[in-house]
Amino acid sequence: MRVRSLTLAAASAALLAPTTPPATASQSVAWRDNPVRAADLLARLTDCVPVSRGRYRSDQGAPADIPVCGTRDAVFWKADMDIDCDGRPGPRCNRRTDPYFAASTAYAQSDGRPLSAENLPFIVVPAPSRIWDYRKHGVTGGSVVAVVYRDRVRYAVVGDTGPQGIIGEASYAAAKAIGIRPDPHGGGAPSGVTYVVFKNSRVSPIEDHAAAVAAGERLVRRFVGRD
């Protein structure tokens, strides 16, 4: 069950982390010739050291059994994927296609408009609470994310916030990129999705997906020891 994402106060923007340096063109070409496999990344995430004080639900009414785990360089969680269609309306994300549609996102793109869920791969983090405050772990709007599903790794940014007690949601574009049915009304994946958010990383402007991919490839290689 998808629930409406919540927006975060504009004060959160003051907590933005330093921009992640871009990769060079030659590095990007080399990385795509020898990409980090999903299995390699998941092998680094077998042990969970919880950084959340409690656990999250995947949906309303589901058991609260999902911790946010931490390493020196990243936080991660393993959950389902609900579809976030909030932000700028388009042919696939609007009040007709999504019963929970909201024409705003917690973070805006460089021109001040809400993000486009159907065009930009981004994930949703729970709004700060006593369970976990993502801002205290080097995470903010534009933080670089690796999303793992089955044998695929795709890159995104943090772009929206959701309910305080629920975790496991990503934009229409993120779901489509990784091979999950992106329909906000009945799509998504019930389990098996891993979200890895790299601390103190940020893509600017947030809507530059090519920059997110380049930064994600670099950060993942370093994370698995191949940098």
Side-chain angles (χ1 to χ4, degrees):
M1 179 198 314
R2 184 181 173 279
V3 293
R4 182 188 296 275
S5 294
L6 305 179
T7 57
L8 189 63
S12 297
L15 298 168
L16 293 177
T19 301
T20 300
T24 65
S26 59
Q27 284 177 320
S28 295
V29 170
W31 295 344
R32 290 188 178 94
D33 288 342
N34 185 26
V36 173
R37 299 179 305 162
D40 297 329
L41 181 52
L42 292 175
R44 288 279 286 109
L45 306 173
T46 54
D47 296 326
C48 176
V49 177
V51 295
S52 57
R53 294 183 178 180
R55 300 193 173 201
Y56 287 95
R57 304 177 190 275
S58 60
D59 297 293
Q60 287 181 332
D65 58 3
I66 304 171
V68 176
C69 311
T71 73
R72 183 186 65 180
D73 301 313
V75 294
F76 67 94
W77 56 91
K78 301 178 181 182
D80 64 339
M81 181 183 284
D82 294 325
I83 307 303
D84 183 6
C85 242
D86 294 342
R88 286 207 323 277
R92 298 173 181 83
C93 290
N94 54 62
R95 297 188 186 281
R96 179 181 56 81
T97 62
D98 182 2
Y100 299 103
F101 178 78
S104 61
T105 49
Y107 294 97
Q109 59 182 38
S110 56
D111 62 3
R113 294 187 297 168
L115 303 180
S116 170
E118 64 182 67
N119 293 317
L120 180 67
F122 65 79
I123 73 160
V124 179
V125 293
S129 71
R130 294 178 61 185
I131 301 175
W132 183 55
D133 186 341
Y134 65 89
R135 301 169 300 181
K136 295 180 179 179
H137 294 267
V139 176
T140 188
S143 289
V144 179
V145 184
V147 183
V148 186
Y149 180 65
R150 296 179 177 171
D151 62 348
R152 298 169 184 154
V153 180
R154 297 293 184 268
Y155 299 101
V157 293
V158 172
D160 204 358
T161 59
Q164 292 182 337
I166 295 176
I167 203 166
E169 188 175 0
S171 69
Y172 181 105
K176 183 177 180 181
I178 206 162
I180 291 174
R181 184 182 173 211
D183 183 0
H185 189 61
S191 63
V193 183
T194 301
Y195 304 80
V196 186
V197 185
F198 292 97
K199 298 177 180 179
N200 302 314
S201 65
R202 184 168 69 91
V203 173
S204 181
I206 192 173
E207 67 269 21
D208 188 346
H209 180 56
V213 172
E217 289 173 338
R218 178 178 60 83
L219 290 165
V220 163
R221 292 183 71 85
R222 178 183 299 172
F223 190 70
V224 302
R226 287 172 53 181
D227 193 6

